[in-house]
Amino acid sequence: MRHRMVVLAMVSALATAASVTAASSSPAPAHATSHSAGPRPPEPTRPPGPTPPPGGAGGEAWAWTQLTSRGTQIRYVSTDTSQQCPSVRYTLGTARDTHQMHQVSTPMGAQFPTTVCELGVPLTASGARLEQVPAAVLHPGDRRLPLPDWTSTTRPQRIAVIGDTGCSVPKAGTVQNCANHQTGWPFPTIANSAATVTRPDLVIHVGDYLYREDPDRENDKQQNPGCTTTADAASWDCVVADFFRPAQTLLAGAPVALTRGNHEDCNQNFKGGAGGAWFRYLADDLRGDGTCDRYTDPVAIRAGLLNLVSVDSSFADPMDNGSTAAKAVFTRQLDQVNQYAQRRPGEDFFLFTHKPLWMVKSAGHTTGDVTWLTRVLGDAVADTALRRLARNVRLVLSGHVHLYQMIDFNTVRPPQLTVGSSGGPLDSGPDDLLVLGQPVGTPTQPVHQSITQTVGPMGGTGVFGYADLGYSSAGNTWVLTFRNTNGRVLGPTCRLDTSLADKSFLCPPGTSTGPGTNRPGGPVAAR
């Protein structure tokens, strides 16, 4: 064992030296991989042999690029014992220089045996590459990090939206088949499909990353050293098992924008647990003390001319029973969203938050027989100074309900896109024909259009997959499709209307390339 680890460390050191030499003598790489070329192929699997143990000599590190309120950041987390941060070499203008990453936190107990580092990178930078990496194993293996493929006067051209991705391993009840990546827990396959089929230049995750409440019950322990016992729950190694390892190909190809889900909740001590992991590794403003808060301020993120505002709805209506507690908290937050949008009236805004504002969970045959989520958020919108969301808030992106659904109202209220179908156990959805005309929201408005991806023609169990949003320069608008686990389009391809007064998706008949077909008198629903 010791001999093998020494050999691995020597090989890694030689490879690092060679790559640094090559980087200094070669021309600066291009800004970003073009969509025609596609992202890099998935990393090869590890060679036979033991995985470096958490916190052991050499250790293992993960790096990714995240959009934050302070701009683009490269983040790095490692279990090596040196507690040293690597540097990042990138090109800015005609200069290619090396920049030292800043230490955010050092190891804290068994849950967080990691050093966390970050570095802000200018929007016009290109060719980012990690150097002087102290860890023996690094993901991505080629040390290159994706940077924004847009400028201050353009926007992302392709966005993959995923949500509710973790593998459900509760303390009691049914355990998801984490080892089956096609029909059991398909998030690894979905991430690879998004990377290779959609080829996004931005990934938006609408929350719920950490589902392994009792790792002792999972069936993929061999793939997840360090996340195998009850005591390991919400540890760094379980964050790797639930998110970083399955998403590594996607993270190697595009920056991410993240919002928090209700599974990243605070424990009774407001320290440690899944909430502590969120604030230590994934939040907009990282913490090193393991603390957790139930409510955080909205996060405004600029992606060129596209503005993303994240609202932390992780503690909105905790029991999903229609409670409107804390409405005042969310009213203040949504007032802030409107203020952001009104400062840039000529630019698009997407509100992304874990719990949906107007998602329809079920609908009956009579008007008013409808269940929609989340009432406290809908009421908070109505209590804002505008009594609605600002006109240039074009779309609301959410998850929480394990379905894919797009509904619109053909009013100033933006369409609600729910993407909670990217990994966790699927919920059952409504018959779209019964959703049409149902009064939803505060004040109530009749649903104009509903597209829910389910296995049956009149509702039923959802379909695993993700949303693909592409920007059409010709139409100056966004085009939406749903893709299944393998990246195949199901249902219609819809274009977001450019009107800010009557917001809706235009979904012409005959655009479905999957099993969904037009139903007389109603929208398209997957079969």
Side-chain angles (χ1 to χ4, degrees):
M1 174 76 75
R2 182 177 303 169
H3 174 72
R4 184 183 296 275
M5 292 181 64
V6 170
V7 171
L8 284 173
M10 292 175 64
V11 171
S12 175
L14 290 172
T16 301
S19 61
V20 170
T21 302
S24 62
S25 61
S26 301
H31 169 60
T33 305
S34 67
H35 290 305
S36 59
R40 295 178 297 279
E43 296 181 37
T45 56
R46 291 193 187 96
T51 299
E60 185 174 28
W62 297 79
W64 69 98
T65 307
Q66 185 166 333
L67 302 188
T68 74
S69 59
R70 296 172 303 286
T72 304
Q73 287 191 345
I74 291 176
R75 293 182 169 178
Y76 170 93
V77 181
S78 179
T79 59
D80 80 273
T81 56
S82 73
Q83 299 186 22
Q84 299 297 308
C85 294
S87 58
V88 179
R89 187 174 177 85
Y90 60 78
T91 299
L92 189 64
T94 59
R96 184 163 179 80
D97 297 315
T98 300
H99 307 265
Q100 183 65 38
M101 298 192 77
H102 311 295
Q103 187 185 87
V104 178
S105 61
T106 54
M108 189 180 75
Q111 183 183 4
F112 304 134
T114 53
T115 298
V116 180
C117 309
E118 66 182 9
L119 178 71
V121 179
L123 180 61
T124 54
S126 62
R129 187 180 188 279
L130 284 170
E131 296 187 345
Q132 301 172 335
V133 178
V137 178
L138 174 67
H139 309 271
D142 64 1
R143 304 188 177 209
R144 300 186 184 278
L145 278 302
L147 293 177
D149 197 17
W150 57 85
T151 68
S152 60
T153 58
T154 63
R155 70 197 78 207
Q157 297 296 298
R158 205 70 177 270
I159 302 173
V161 184
I162 57 177
D164 299 80
T165 55
C167 187
S168 180
V169 186
K171 296 177 181 178
T174 302
V175 173
Q176 197 169 358
N177 187 350
C178 302
N180 182 337
H181 295 165
Q182 191 64 37
T183 59
W185 177 50
F187 177 48
T189 304
I190 287 172
N192 287 338
S193 295
T196 58
V197 177
T198 298
R199 300 176 180 175
D201 46 11
L202 173 63
V203 177
I204 297 177
H205 196 305
V206 292
D208 274 7
Y209 312 78
L210 311 179
Y211 278 22
R212 297 174 188 248
E213 297 176 7
D214 187 358
D216 186 55
R217 304 181 70 210
E218 66 193 12
N219 70 342
D220 61 345
K221 294 180 182 180
Q222 186 174 1
Q223 287 73 44
N224 301 308
C227 179
T228 59
T229 72
T230 302
D232 294 331
S235 68
W236 163 246
D237 291 291
C238 286
V239 177
V240 170
D242 246 2
F243 181 61
F244 284 102
R245 183 169 292 117
Q248 61 182 312
T249 306
L250 192 55
L251 295 173
V256 296
L258 310 178
T259 194
R260 178 184 175 195
N262 63 293
H263 275 260
E264 291 75 58
D265 58 345
C266 298
N267 59 26
Q268 292 182 346
N269 298 321
F270 288 88
K271 193 165 186 177
W278 162 261
F279 284 105
R280 193 175 187 86
Y281 301 119
L282 301 174
D284 182 73
D285 190 11
L286 298 181
R287 303 178 183 182
D289 59 1
T291 59
C292 177
D293 288 330
R294 284 180 174 169
Y295 305 107
T296 55
D297 291 336
V299 174
I301 298 170
R302 297 209 68 194
L305 296 179
L306 174 64
N307 297 269
L308 307 172
V309 184
S310 166
V311 170
D312 183 350
S313 59
S314 58
F315 204 68
D317 190 6
M319 304 303 294
D320 288 332
N321 59 5
S323 169
T324 57
K327 180 178 65 171
V329 172
F330 294 108
T331 299
R332 289 194 297 271
Q333 295 197 5
L334 292 165
D335 267 323
Q336 197 168 342
V337 172
N338 283 340
Q339 291 166 14
Y340 291 146
Q342 289 177 308
R343 291 171 192 159
R344 301 182 179 276
E347 299 178 6
D348 287 349
F349 276 73
F350 289 175
L351 168 61
F352 73 118
T353 183
H354 180 62
K355 293 199 172 181
L357 277 63
W358 304 295
M359 190 272 173
V360 175
K361 184 68 170 62
S362 63
H365 290 271
T366 59
T367 300
D369 184 8
V370 60
T371 300
W372 61 273
L373 282 72
T374 307
R375 188 172 298 273
V376 64
L377 299 177
D379 285 5
V381 170
D383 276 3
T384 61
L386 290 179
R387 305 299 180 189
R388 55 172 171 80
L389 292 177
R391 287 181 179 271
N392 55 328
V393 177
R394 301 285 305 281
L395 193 59
V396 176
L397 307 173
S398 305
H400 188 57
V401 183
H402 293 187
L403 291 168
Y404 172 92
Q405 182 186 82
M406 186 282 295
I407 64 172
D408 64 42
F409 301 89
N410 200 31
T411 67
V412 71
R413 180 183 290 175
Q416 168 75 64
L417 180 63
T418 300
V419 188
S421 55
S422 303
L426 294 168
D427 289 329
S428 292
D431 180 345
D432 284 310
L433 287 182
L434 300 181
V435 176
L436 297 181
Q438 289 287 3
V440 167
T442 307
T444 60
Q445 294 180 10
V447 174
H448 168 256
Q449 184 173 208
S450 175
I451 298 174
T452 310
Q453 292 291 350
T454 57
V455 297
M458 293 179 289
T461 305
V463 177
F464 284 118
Y466 63 99
D468 178 353
L469 273 170
Y471 184 72
S472 170
S473 299
N476 193 32
T477 191
W478 295 90
V479 177
L480 170 67
T481 55
F482 170 78
R483 295 182 181 271
N484 70 0
T485 298
N486 297 315
R488 185 165 63 94
V489 174
L490 298 181
T493 296
C494 303
R495 178 171 59 87
L496 184 60
D497 195 342
T498 56
S499 171
L500 299 183
D502 302 310
K503 300 189 185 102
S504 64
F505 273 98
L506 305 177
C507 307
T511 57
S512 174
T513 58
T517 56
N518 286 322
R519 296 172 61 181
V524 177
R527 298 297 195 266

